[in-house]
Each structure stands twice: as structure tokens, then as C-alpha cells.
Amino acid sequence: MPSSRPASTPSARQGFLEAPLDKAHAEPLQRQLYRRLKEAILEGKLAAGSRLPGSRALAQTLSVSRNTVAIAYEHLVSEGYVRADRQGSTVAALVRPAPREAQPEAGPPSRVALRLSRIRSGPARLDPSTALRPGVPALSHFPLAVWRRMLDHAVREASPAALHYGDPFGQPELRAAIARHLAITRGVHCEPAQVIVTEGAQEALTLCVRLLTNPGDTAWVEDPGYRGAKAAMHAGDLRIVPRRMDGEGMHAGAADWRSRAPRLIYTTPSHQYPTGVVMSVARRLALISAAREHGAWIVEDDYDSEFRHYGEPIGAMQGLVADAPVLYVGTFSKTMFPSLRLGFVVMPARLLASAQDALREMLRGGHSHEQLAMAGFIESGQFARHLGRMRRLYRERQHALREALTRHLRVPHIIEGGQGGLHLALRLPRDFADTRIAEAARRYGMAPMPLSSFAMAPAPEDNGLVLGYGNTAMELLDPLVKRLSQLVLSAGA
Amino acid sequence: MPSSRPASTPSARQGFLEAPLDKAHAEPLQRQLYRRLKEAILEGKLAAGSRLPGSRALAQTLSVSRNTVAIAYEHLVSEGYVRADRQGSTVAALVRPAPREAQPEAGPPSRVALRLSRIRSGPARLDPSTALRPGVPALSHFPLAVWRRMLDHAVREASPAALHYGDPFGQPELRAAIARHLAITRGVHCEPAQVIVTEGAQEALTLCVRLLTNPGDTAWVEDPGYRGAKAAMHAGDLRIVPRRMDGEGMHAGAADWRSRAPRLIYTTPSHQYPTGVVMSVARRLALISAAREHGAWIVEDDYDSEFRHYGEPIGAMQGLVADAPVLYVGTFSKTMFPSLRLGFVVMPARLLASAQDALREMLRGGHSHEQLAMAGFIESGQFARHLGRMRRLYRERQHALREALTRHLRVPHIIEGGQGGLHLALRLPRDFADTRIAEAARRYGMAPMPLSSFAMAPAPEDNGLVLGYGNTAMELLDPLVKRLSQLVLSAGA
């Protein structure tokens, strides 16, 4: 450090440094000074290597205490704007990044992001109140007052330890309640330890993909089928093979198993989404058998089995055969409300044993209060009561929707998928392009989804509409369907 | 179908079919009959191709209405156990999967799962009340009554639409509150639209990896460093390159950029986790500059900046340079409570524009009530008040911990990382093996973490303990440190 440097440093000549600080301002003086100096250094007004005035001198100039200057300097030193040595404080040499424009664009997002951004996700941002939108439960019929009480009770009664992450697999109370509920209603055989609570069904699917597959592995999906499952598989960089259904559900022969055996099979056997086909027990057993033989895993998404309108509820594949290679996925998004983001996956016991450690790294736990409230909701019988009420409501709405279609729709059509759930699939002749109808319907506040948008390789018969009746009031169904029928007709014109 | 088949079908000879149904049982008769037949078919008691008795005949035998039998049969047909034709009902041919033992084991979990299960995750399942455990805030000091009020208010006041998924990027109220809070406290420059609400910091990191990298890409991490970040990168199948720090933080020269330029850089510049080094502004600017030049992205994890104990809070890298290639990650896990699972990432505006669609597929929204309550907590000033109280509490606890170490620890040591946060890093001579000390400490209800466990390539100086003081009461610190000091001594013996 040259001791011959003049006493008057370069910076001392800068007028901005000597301008008085604002003593009336809420911001403390040392903070004002710190910011003034920091900005001057970043803007290059104080050049690299230049010396700052001594703290005593600057304090005098600014009429502040020497301590004020010392604190500002110390902070600049701790962040590296200034270097301190025995001679005093020197402005550090900083690379000043060139303006944004002069530099190459930061690279594009990942391949997975590109692929996901190409999924046509339809009217995703639509208001849930949009009529005929599939997948939305009757939001205004949810017993919010009861839920508030349960949630408040959980927050009040939980120990401070419940504020921590908790069990990454979910609160034990909720896992036990789910296991009991599934055993009674779905014939699912499991211990509470096999139930893993997730952020809705979507995290359950992501977990299955991450746990069981490597990039490039083959996955079978029903086609047309649930798009969320495909998104999870795209994210896992899987080779997705669409499989057609017939009246008995997804079809796969020995040749399919030979030529492109999957690592993962995604299916909705109880009520195929969106066509409503029920997979026959022969197909179920054959699928389980072949999956075992080839070391594949079946992900059984039982997304709307709670709302069975006709006949007895169909038991889950998971419970059909002891120790089946089936991961059973469920969600409370339809039975409670979507924003709750609670779902679960029931893992085969042997898989769980070998995947325990990996799962602990993949899951974080949390949401203890909501999970405890949900457990209370089930155990108190409120859940069963709510399900009963909603089952009746949805059955009535479906009935009204069918009647309205019969009354107004003057185009040949087939209605499918009404044995349960919150939607019907309406097949239309291919001249009546479903995408065009769906687009026209949006202008009238309706959001039926084009059936073809569920298919990876749409066949001619995949033309139609998926009509949700979960969140559309009874009295609206007739006038809406009347309007929709006109739109169908004009689409064919 | 042979019409010569005798009238007496094989099944009619089965006594079990004729056993009376239990009319007093809660289970409806048709359900009892359905189950009896289904089990007989699955167990092979009713052979494939055998004919079921006519519904009229069976109804007479069982003294039930013909409708009861018809419903049971119909259900068996709909599930595919039985085929109906004009001749009557025939048992379907089913593949009966061989017993589990006779078949090959379903394949092992994915490579990622294997890799994750090898991460030594230490005492993950420990009670949060375990003393000196890093990363746990003062759970019993959280103002739960205020939170309960806020949450209840949000549940009560939210419209039914709030029960739906909501904006996948988070509730607008919360995003605006976070943007304002960050601008004031952290010098982060962003619009609310750039703030994306996530499931804690972990989902934010996962999102960065999924959005920005492809499998096999290189990522730089600080070493020793945060293990959650490494887990997110392992899950993305990245090549993780550990980078050492010096007194100015992570070091990377031109040669490093030439030989193994990263796609992603994970850093905790304000208070390196766990060593507490502050990255100098020169390093920050150089890193931003080089990242721009090479098309890399910087993930800035500002995990505990709210608890600054000495000096002024250090501004974020995100706000240092306009339009920096920085994704700023934050969390409410330490400032509120971990189980809340609320974090966020601030995206560069340009990246957001190009990644909008992919992000919508990656995110689901939800937890509207909790997000609205959090927004209310911030906007009402309760958050700032709570932070102020906790800052004082943690400062006191840190002070007490330091004093206790000075008083009791008779081994040469260096204490690092006390400028902020909830932990101190204690470096020890290498003869005092940190893993052995940590293990011994667990037997006394303490869970300090071995410093070496944070390193991918532990250097001799990475021997030590990370001591959390967030959730350990003042009066316990002295006796605990006394005991711990004895354990350190014995480990060196």
C-alpha cells in the first residue's frame, strides 16, 4: 500500500459523499450511509482501489458520531464491498456484470419442462364455478362449519411437536383412519403402516414414478385417460404407451407383454377415467398375473369410487389377490375439497420394506393440523355422512343431466360412465368436432372437456364431451344442456 | 353353449350355495349372496364355464325374493365374474395368479430411489424436542392462538371457490405479501407474479431442478452444505460437484468454469449452511457474471436471513444486479413452523415468461386457507412482531450457548456461523471424531449433527458439530453443553 498516497483520497472529492444525511428519516444514519456507499461502489462512482475517508474525518464532515461511520464501514467490509487494512478502508475490485442485453440468453428450461409445456392442458385456469366442468365436487355443499371446528380443534389440541415436520409418511391417526375406511368400503387389505399420505393423488403418482421407474422405462396408460398421470410420467421421462379399452377395460395380450413390457401400468379399473368402463375381474387377474411375471407394477387409481350410483361398489384390485404388485392411489380432492391437497398411496408391504429409506428422502411430512382434522372427520362419522349426502346429490344431478340430454340433444350420441362419479362421457359422431364445441361452450360459461383431449392417439370414436355435474346446480342443467345441444348442432353444420 | 347340459348344474350340487342367508345381518341379502358367489369363483369352488342356477330356482332355495338374486347376479356380471347369455349365467374363465412365492420378485426400485436410500440422513426421525437439534425453531414460542384466529378467519371468509385448487402459483394475496416483505427486508426486486408459492423450500428446490436441468447435467453445491439440496439434485439425476469455501464463500475460478461448467449452482450466500460464511460481494458479482456467460442458473437459498443477530442484514444476490440469473428460494419453516410447509421461489421475469406453461403442469395449487391465513399474518404485522420476538430469543440462546462452550469445552475449537440463524458450527480437532460424539450425545437426548455429515468429500477440517439452539430452552444450555463437552473429551481419548 503506497504511503505516498495523498491525504485527500479520490472519494473525498466526490460531493455525494459529503451531502448531509437525513436525521429525521426513519432509516438509521449508519444504514443511510451504508446504502450511499454501497450504491456508489456498485455504480462505479467509487473506483476499485480508491481509499475511503477515515471514519473520524467523515463523521466530522457529516456531523454524525464516529461510531455511525464505523458501523457502516464494518458492514461494507463484512459483505466485501470494502477491504480494511491498517492503512484504512479501500474499495474492493468487483466484476460488474455487463448489461443483460450484451450477453447470451441463459439456456432454455429442461427437456421435461419443454415436454410438459406442450401438454394441451385445456381450460386449466377456469373458474371452478364454470358449469359442466369435470372433476369439481359440489363446493358449496361442503360442510365447512364442521371442518372449521375439526381444524380448529386440531390446531388447539396438537402439541408443539405437531408444529414440526412430523412423520414423513403422514400422521399416524390419519393413516389408521384411511386403512380402516378402505378396508370397509373398498376391500383394500393393508396395515396403517402401508398407507402413505401425499399431496393429493398427483404427488402419489409422482412418487410411484420416482420410486419405481428409470428414465426411458415404458409405462402403459389407458387411452383416452387421465392427463395428470401422463404429466407425472413425462416428468419421469418415461416412454408412454397408450392402450385402448374395450367393454372389459384395458386390453393387453401376450404379444404386448412380449414386445413392450411395461415397468409401470396406470389404470382406473373401478370406473375408467373418463369413459367409465369397469375392468372385468378376468382382466384384473390377468393383469396382476402378467405384471408379477414381468416384474411390473400396477398403479390403481381409485379416484371416484366413493360415489357409486348404481349397483354395489366394486372392490379394489389391491385386495383381489394377496400381495398383489399394486400401488393403490386415492384422494380426498373429490370427497372433501381439492384445495385440501390430501391423497394417499397404499404400498405393497414388501415394496415398502425395501423402499423405506428412499421414501423418507422423497417425503417431508408436514400439514399435521390438516391431517389430524381429517382423521377426526373420518373417525367422528362426519366423512361417511358427507359422502352419503353427496352420493344422493350427485345421483340426482346425473339423473337430471341425462334427462336434459335426452330432451334436447338431437344428434346421435352414446352416454357412458354413469355408474359412479361426477361426470358422464358423451360420444358424438366425428363430424361434430368436440374441440370446437368445447370452445364455443366456454363463451356461455360452460367447460365440458373434449373427449379427444384425453387421448394420446385419438381414434375416431374419441370424439365427444366429458360433462361434469359435480358442481353444477340442478336447476341449471336443463337450460345449459339446451344451449349446449344447439352448439353441438352448429358444430356439425 | 351346449344345450345338452343337464338341468342340474355343477354349482347346484355345491352345498355352500344352498346354505341359508343371514336375514338378521346388517349386510343386505343381495350383498351376502354376491360375496358368497364371488369368493366361490375366486377360490375355484365354482369352476370356469359352470352354470349358475336360474335366479328363480335359487331364490326359492334360499327363500329370498327373485330380485335379490337378480341384483347379485347383475353385479357379478358387471364385474366380469359371470357371463350372462340367453341360456343363463356362466362362471367366467379367470387366470388365478400363482402364489406369490412361485414367481420372480417384482423388480427393485429406481436408480434414484437406490441413490436416495444411500444418503445417510442421520437422526431424521428424532423428536423435534431433542436438544441442540439444528433447524428446529422455538416451537413452543409460536403464537398459536393468533395463528388459529387467522386460519379460522380464512376458512370462514373464503368463498366456496377457495375450496378448489386455486392458482397453481399460489394465492395472489400471499404472493403480494411475500413480494412486499422481501423488498423491504431483503432487497429482493420482484413483482408478485414472480413469486411462486411451494411446499416449503424443498419443493422449490425440486422445481428448480426439474425446470432447469436434464439428467446428467452438472450442479455445483457448497461443501459442506445443505443435504436437502443434494437430495433434490440426486432425484434429478444430476452430476453433483462439491465446491469448497474460503472466508469469502464458495470459490470458483475460470478453470472450474472451463472444465466443468454447471447448469445449476446452489448457494446460501447470506449465511452459508452450515458454516455461516458470508459470500463477499465480489464473489457474488463474479458468480452472477460467469453464470450469465455460461448460461447457468444460480439458486440462492436465503434460508435463515430473517434472524440476523449482528450487523445489518445482507441484501440478497437476487437484487444485486438487475435481471440476474438467480432463483431466490425462501421458506416459512423456520420463521413460522415446519409443518406449515410453505416456501416460495422468486423466478427471474424472463424465465417465468418462457416456463409459464411447464410450471402450470408441475404445480397444483391448493392449501388456499393456509395461504390466505399466512397472507393475513404478514399483512396484519403479526409476522414482523413474531420475527422480532424470535430474533431476540435466538440471540439470547446463542449467547448462552457460546458462554457455555467457553465455560465447559476444554478442547481447542472454532465457533463459526453466529451472525444469524438458529445454529452454530463448532469445528473440532480431527482426533475427536464428530460422528462418534453425535452418537454418544443422542443417548443423552441431544441431537447435534456431525459437521462431516454435511460434506460430500469431507476434508480434515470438516470435523465438528452443528449445534442448533432454536428449540432448546436457555436454562438447559449450560448443563447440556457441560455434558457434551465431556463426551467430546472422551471421544478424543
Side-chain angles (χ1 to χ4, degrees), chain B residues 23-256:
Chain B
K23 295 193 183 181
H25 200 279
E27 196 176 39
L29 294 174
Q30 68 266 25
R31 181 90 191 141
Q32 290 182 42
L33 182 58
Y34 156 78
R35 297 226 291 172
R36 176 184 291 181
L37 288 163
K38 176 179 146 180
E39 278 156 24
I41 295 168
L42 280 174
E43 288 163 12
K45 284 198 217 164
L46 288 173
S50 66
R51 196 92 74 79
L52 292 181
S55 58
R56 191 191 306 265
L58 187 57
Q60 272 177 357
T61 311
L62 295 173
S63 312
V64 299
S65 81
R66 188 172 169 194
N67 201 37
T68 298
V69 179
I71 290 175
Y73 277 18
E74 198 181 292
H75 190 46
L76 289 167
V77 168
S78 84
E79 295 189 9
Y81 287 96
V82 165
R83 307 203 176 262
D85 58 29
R86 292 204 290 166
Q87 259 71 37
S89 307
T90 317
V91 173
L94 304 178
V95 180
R96 291 224 303 288
R100 186 68 186 73
E101 287 64 36
Q103 296 186 335
E105 188 71 23
S110 63
R111 283 197 300 272
V112 163
L114 282 175
R115 209 169 308 135
L116 286 175
S117 63
R118 280 195 216 109
I119 293 184
R120 284 204 51 232
S121 72
R125 302 299 312 284
L126 279 183
D127 191 316
S129 63
T130 318
L132 300 179
R133 188 177 177 186
V136 189
L139 299 177
S140 57
H141 287 255
F142 180 74
L144 204 56
V146 180
W147 176 247
R148 261 181 68 203
R149 210 167 54 231
M150 293 280 175
L151 184 58
D152 194 56
H153 182 264
V155 180
R156 196 174 62 234
E157 297 298 320
S159 73
L163 294 175
H164 204 245
Y165 292 102
D167 192 321
F169 293 178
Q171 292 288 311
E173 293 86 342
L174 180 57
R175 298 164 73 192
I178 291 172
R180 267 194 297 277
H181 178 74
L182 291 179
I184 296 167
T185 62
R186 304 295 302 129
V188 168
H189 299 306
C190 68
E191 295 296 316
Q194 288 169 258
V195 178
I196 292 177
V197 180
T198 57
E199 282 280 301
Q202 198 59 34
E203 192 194 16
L205 298 177
T206 301
L207 201 66
C208 293
V209 169
R210 291 183 58 195
L211 185 65
L212 302 172
T213 69
N214 293 316
D217 281 355
T218 296
W220 285 359
V221 297
E222 294 160 336
D223 202 50
Y226 176 54
R227 303 187 310 177
K230 279 172 257 177
M233 291 170 182
H234 276 304
D237 220 350
L238 303 187
R239 199 167 67 96
I240 307 178
V241 176
R243 300 220 64 89
R244 302 297 298 182
M245 283 94 50
D246 57 21
E248 292 192 58
M250 183 196 272
H251 179 78
D256 299 307

